[in-house]
């Protein structure tokens, strides 16, 4: 049989068969007869993964019909089991001599010598095996192998549509629950269903009418794909900080790979639609790559998966991400990585959790998830290879566990834990009106980190002492175009109104790094974290800051305005920014507008160079706040978004603590009010260490206020000050164990 005409003929016949109103069993029974006749084989059988993960004979032409739904093989057992586990074809002239051959007398297969079996793959998982057998000893031609592989895609559709396998198209799903481990990034439990951030395209239209049209469709989609990759490359490092240039380069290489394109065209010529051809070639390549232990090769597999999926989206016009789709009521979003802007798209829309293959503790996705109160587990390796849209899942943000297809026992445990968490929350709520005063009478101010309208009710619900950090860039990140001044003003007014008499510290725009504004053209940068970002834009885009400051001043009216400039590297930047504010105040007054009676202007300490200008900076500022996330990143030269580095340089290292102590001492010397608004403040152990260093005002995510206040109420501040003082100068490694031990001995919940 020639590859093209043979499989095309067979596919045409199959399509006619698919159109007939048959039940699945009758359809499969007819399919095996059709394949056997067209391929001149005496036997054609379909095995499918059934309940319990075994391979069951579902239909046969040539073997004993009595064996249907009787003969079962374990994964790895017999030739069929080997094909299912390796996901590779077996082509044998004498089946019995293969070491894995398992004789099943009920089938009557002893009469047949040659054997050709191919896996039936669906969305990357083996869901069955398709076999042809002949009496004569022969090796099947490569064309026959390919034809059978092409046909197996159609059978995959029939099997996937069946109840038994249809609802659970992978071996894992049929075999039941799976527990995966990652790293806890935001605590909390999520019980729900998988939503793939980049949904897989399920190809259902497999058989082509006209190969020429399909080739054209494929070529045009490839053109679109290549263009989109070029655009990604142009914007790489800024818009897609997490998608490193290297990965996108690899995409480009694949997208231009002649072998890849040629194989897809071959599959189209064999009778498949363009999208079925993409899937077919992906399945083949995946089979080759998936068993590689080399992590580089496995990464390429991920790239290839992603690229093929992108190509399928170009072909089918499916949405690139799920963030605009309607979500199930209990969505748990799964992605390789996600930027803060994409995550914000899900805000307020049934999101119950986030699971990433990457993900770092202090990256902005973590900050957004924390602000939204969404449990978040990162670094669950290769999880996308085994989950699919709609799978039931439970995530435990305390332990970093992900339970796929959880059984009744796990569900029961987590429903109980969710009840306990609600009780815990109720106990935090009871503390709302209570001031955070330590056992030895030190009053601590606990403030809120916010940035979105959804955060504002938290000022009341947590009983926080105002907003210590309002990340104004979040409004810009959720917008599709630059917010007009009037929009900014309305938004800030709403923030002032929600805060009432409690103060809000507005941080001016802090964009760049991993915080992208898609509508703002930025040059491609090799190192965006060290690039043209944040306050540095004052020289090139002064209008951006001026417009924002004007909007803030107008929104404040006569109310007190607290402003803070981020990412200051040297005092001169603070001076320039402050001058800009003065100009705006004059402008406002000249035009007869109200202006705030008091304006307090602060500086964010987050770039190490400024540590050596604190004596010059502090007299010029009304307050300072430590951005411990960036300070840690830049002090240790360690990318805060890189999962490989997360946890490598501890926040409790003497280096970090001595740096913080230096700031505390300088603030005391200059009598400058001091806060800390990085993620360290929201971690009860981190907050305890900060109190031990002398901090008295901390700003944190809403979900942290309860736990940190509970810690404060149980703490003797003087004791922790002594503990830190007596260890900070003579320890060379992290003080974490010392602090944990102290908390344990003193019954301090951290
Ligand atoms: C910080 O760097 O600690 C900080 C508070 O700012 P952001 O996390 O938004 O960079
Ligand atoms: Mg910062």
């Amino acid at each position: 049989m020639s590859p093209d005409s043979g499989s095309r003929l067979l596919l045409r016949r199959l399509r006619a068969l698919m159109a007939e109103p048959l039940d699945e069993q009758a359809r499969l029974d007819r399919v095996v007869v059709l394949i056997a006749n067209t391929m001149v084989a005496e036997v054609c059988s379909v095995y499918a993964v059934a309940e319990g993960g075994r391979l069951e004979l579902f239909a046969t032409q040539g073997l004993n019909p009595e064996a249907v739904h009787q003969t079962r093989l374990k994964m790895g057992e017999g030739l069929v089991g080997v094909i299912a586990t390796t996901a590779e074809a077996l082509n044998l002239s004498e089946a019995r001599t293969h070491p894995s051959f398992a004789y099943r007398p009920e089938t009557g297969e002893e009469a047949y010598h040659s054997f050709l079996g191919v896996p039936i793959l669906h969305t990357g998982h083996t869901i069955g095996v398709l076999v042809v057998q002949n009496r004569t000893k022969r090796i099947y031609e490569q064309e026959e192998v390919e034809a059978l592989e092409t046909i197996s895609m159609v059978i995959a559709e029939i099997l996937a549509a069946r109840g038994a396998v249809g609802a659970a198209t992978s071996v894992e799903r049929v075999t039941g629950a799976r527990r995966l481990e990652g790293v806890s990034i935001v605590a909390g439990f999520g019980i729900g269903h998988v939503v793939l951030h980049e949904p897989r395209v399920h190809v259902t239209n497999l058989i082509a009418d006209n190969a020429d049209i399909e080739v054209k469709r494929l070529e045009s989609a490839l053109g679109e794909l290549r263009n989109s990759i070029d655009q990604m490359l142009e914007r790489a490092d800024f818009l897609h900080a997490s998608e490193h240039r290297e990965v996108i380069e690899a995409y480009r290489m694949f997208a231009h790979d002649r072998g890849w394109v040629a194989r897809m065209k071959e599959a189209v010529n064999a009778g498949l639609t363009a999208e079925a051809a993409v899937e077919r070639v992906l399945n083949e390549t995946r089979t080759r790559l998936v068993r590689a232990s080399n992590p580089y090769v496995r990464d390429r597999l991920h790239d290839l998966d992603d690229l093929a999926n992108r190509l399928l989206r170009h072909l089918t016009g499916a949405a690139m991400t799920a963030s605009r789709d309607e979500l199930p009521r209990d969505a748990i979003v799964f992605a390789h990585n996600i930027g803060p802007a994409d995550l914000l798209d899900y805000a307020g829309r049934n999101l119950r959790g986030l699971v990433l293959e990457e993900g770092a503790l202090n990256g902005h996705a973590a900050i957004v998830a924390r602000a939204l109160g969404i449990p978040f587990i990162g670094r669950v390796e290769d999880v996308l290879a085994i989950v699919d849209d709609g799978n039931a899942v439970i995530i435990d943000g305390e332990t970093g566990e992900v339970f796929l297809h959880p059984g009744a026992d796990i569900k029961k445990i987590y429903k109980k834990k969710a009840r306990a968490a609600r009780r815990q929350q109720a106990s935090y709520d009871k503390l709302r009106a209570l001031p955070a005063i330590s056992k030895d009478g030190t009053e601590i101010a606990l403030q809120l980190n916010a940035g979105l309208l959804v955060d504002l009710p938290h000022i009341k619900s947590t009983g926080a002492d105002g907003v210590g950090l309002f990340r104004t860039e979040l409004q810009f990140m959720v917008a599709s175009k630059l917010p007009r001044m009037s929009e900014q003003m309305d938004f800030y007014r709403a923030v002032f109104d929600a805060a009432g008499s409690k103060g809000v510290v507005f941080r001016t725009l802090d964009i760049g790094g991993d915080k992208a504004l898609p509508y703002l053209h930025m040059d491609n940068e090799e190192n965006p974290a060290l690039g043209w970002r944040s306050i540095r834009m004052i020289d090139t885009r002064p209008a951006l800051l001026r417009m924002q400051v004007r909007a803030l001043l107008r929104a404040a009216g006569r109310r007190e305005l607290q402003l803070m400039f981020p990412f200051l590297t040297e005092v001169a930047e603070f001076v320039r920014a402050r001058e800009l504010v003065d100009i705006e105040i004059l402008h406002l007054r000249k035009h007869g507008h109200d202006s705030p009676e008091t304006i307090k202007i602060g500086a964010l300490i987050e770039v190490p160079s400024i540590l050596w200008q604190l004596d010059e900076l502090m007299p010029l500022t009304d307050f300072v706040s430590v951005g411990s996330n960036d300070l840690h990143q830049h002090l240790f030269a360690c990318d805060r978004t890189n999962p490989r580095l997360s946890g490598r340089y501890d926040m409790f290292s003497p280096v970090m603590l001595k740096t913080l102590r230096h700031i505390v001492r300088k603030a005391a010397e200059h009598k400058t009010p001091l806060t800390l608004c990085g993620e360290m403040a929201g971690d009860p152990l981190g907050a305890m260490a900060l109190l031990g260093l002398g901090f008295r005002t901390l700003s944190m995510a809403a979900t942290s206020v309860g736990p940190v206040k509970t810690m404060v109420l149980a703490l003797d501040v003087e004791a922790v000050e002594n503990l830190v003082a007596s260890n900070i100068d003579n320890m060379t490694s992290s003080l974490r164990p010392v602090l944990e031990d102290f908390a344990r001995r003193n019954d301090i919940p951290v």
Side-chain angles (χ1 to χ4, degrees), residues 10-25:
L10 193 45
L11 285 175
R12 259 204 307 276
R13 289 183 179 165
L14 272 175
R15 183 170 46 189
L17 190 61
M18 297 286 275
E20 284 186 40
L22 296 169
D23 69 24
E24 273 68 30
Q25 185 64 51

Side-chain angles (χ1 to χ4, degrees), residues 364 367 469 471 507 515 606 627-630 640 677-678:
H364 283 99
I367 288 169
L469 168 65
R471 289 185 166 100
R507 176 175 73 182
K515 288 186 277 193
E606 51 183 351
S628 53
N629 306 332
D630 273 310
R640 64 194 267 190
C677 58

Side-chain angles (χ1 to χ4, degrees), residues 458-480:
H458 295 144
I459 305 176
K460 257 207 184 111
S461 68
T462 56
D465 302 305
V467 177
L469 168 65
F470 195 87
R471 289 185 166 100
T472 57
E473 62 279 3
L474 295 189
Q475 184 201 9
F476 287 66
M477 286 162 71
V478 288
S480 53

Side-chain angles (χ1 to χ4, degrees), residues 682-700:
D683 164 34
L685 191 73
M688 188 181 91
L690 292 169
L691 300 182
L693 284 164
F695 283 89
R696 294 294 176 262
T697 304
L698 302 173
S699 193
M700 63 201 69

Side-chain angles (χ1 to χ4, degrees), residues 362-364 367 449 469 471 473 507 510 514-515 533 564 566-567 604-606 625-634 640 676-680:
N362 294 325
H364 283 99
I367 288 169
N449 289 351
L469 168 65
R471 289 185 166 100
E473 62 279 3
R507 176 175 73 182
D510 185 28
D514 66 335
K515 288 186 277 193
R533 55 177 288 194
M564 173 160 77
F567 216 71
L604 202 54
I605 313 279
E606 51 183 351
S625 184
V626 180
S628 53
N629 306 332
D630 273 310
L631 185 59
H632 179 266
Q633 153 164 271
H634 296 288
R640 64 194 267 190
L676 185 140
C677 58
E679 301 309 293
M680 188 177 183

